[in-house]
Amino acid sequence: MTGCHGSLPPLRGHLEVGTDSYVIFVGGTSRAGGDLYAVGGSGGAAIPVTFTAVGEMRPALAPDGGAVAFLRGGTLRDSTPASVWVMNLLSGGERLIALPRDAPPPTRVGWNQSGTELVIRAGDRLYRSPAPPAEATAAPVPPSGRAAAESALAVLLGKPAFARVVRCAHPEDLCVEADTGVPGLLARDASGAARYGDDSVLVQIGRELVVRPVGPGHAREIEWSGLPPAPREPTAFGGATPEPR
């Protein structure tokens, strides 16, 4: 059974949800979890998204930018069991995604390419659930579907995807791995990465957010301010693609 509760839309008056580009990230002194914040793709002050006493972590924006999935609880700062939630950024409403009773604690959540399903990693298991507003309990992913489900948890580059972001041999660095060839360096001393539209990738290097194009072009920094302690775990929406005329 799923649960649902609502609040005011956290980005109203700050960003146009589903149109503007933005980044959602975790902030707070706890190494395990904190609160969620947002910053526009053109930069600016951090905007609080969640206001709970329970730690939140591992956010994942839907492909259309209209919702964010994340983990809540199960951190060192609280005793609440870990759970998976989805916030509708247009309404502020939240929905609990129920896992089977025998599922291990969840550690990751992601979206399929169309945004119609959520994929959840719990221990060494994968689960799949219809995305809200559908109501359903997450079901185990069969062995034949694991490869497709894993792709929902990866940072894929290009459309169609031709590579993914992985940790390099040096674990502090990020590399780009294609189907063939040796992984190429993407960023040194990077703590996070996220797909940014169809043709760019967002990386966090220290306290900087940098958008790098997949192909030719120049990198640019998102100048964020008013940050909470320890900003980390960015996820991004690169903005709506204009309809062809």
Side-chain angles (χ1 to χ4, degrees):
M1 185 176 182
T2 57
C4 182
H5 59 78
S7 61
L8 294 175
L11 302 184
R12 179 179 292 172
H14 300 282
L15 297 166
E16 190 70 31
V17 171
T19 299
D20 295 340
S21 58
Y22 35 89
V23 178
I24 288 183
F25 60 97
V26 178
T29 55
S30 169
R31 290 178 61 86
D35 288 309
L36 301 184
Y37 296 81
V39 64
S42 58
I47 305 162
V49 174
T50 61
F51 307 84
T52 68
V54 181
E56 286 121 2
M57 69 191 89
R58 308 310 294 266
L61 273 164
D64 67 358
V68 60
F70 56 94
L71 306 183
R72 172 175 282 157
T75 73
L76 298 177
R77 91 180 199 185
D78 59 67
S79 58
T80 305
S83 53
V84 180
W85 290 81
V86 176
M87 175 188 284
N88 184 313
L89 294 172
L90 287 167
S91 68
E94 295 184 356
R95 175 75 56 81
L96 171 67
I97 305 299
L99 287 166
R101 290 180 180 271
D102 64 346
T107 56
R108 284 285 305 278
V109 60
W111 301 79
N112 69 349
Q113 195 170 22
S114 63
T116 57
E117 287 187 339
L118 293 163
V119 173
I120 300 159
R121 176 177 287 137
D124 60 355
R125 307 179 197 174
L126 293 177
Y127 297 87
R128 181 183 288 120
S129 171
E135 293 194 36
T137 298
V141 174
S144 61
R146 283 191 68 92
E150 288 280 6
S151 69
L153 302 175
V155 180
L156 302 179
L157 305 182
K159 187 177 181 181
F162 65 88
R164 66 182 60 207
V165 178
V166 298
R167 283 289 168 189
C168 303
H170 190 291
E172 299 301 317
D173 301 336
L174 291 175
C175 283
V176 174
E177 180 182 70
D179 292 336
T180 59
V182 178
L185 180 66
L186 174 65
R188 295 193 183 279
D189 298 322
S191 59
R195 184 182 174 98
Y196 195 90
D198 294 335
D199 58 2
S200 299
V201 58
L202 176 88
V203 293
Q204 182 177 348
I205 305 172
R207 290 175 68 89
E208 295 182 352
L209 287 179
V210 180
V211 178
R212 295 187 172 178
V214 174
H218 298 285
R220 68 176 181 88
E221 182 181 346
I222 295 177
E223 296 185 359
W224 52 357
S225 60
L227 298 180
R232 60 199 184 276
E233 300 178 12
T235 178
F237 172 64
T241 302
E243 293 289 337
R245 294 175 179 251

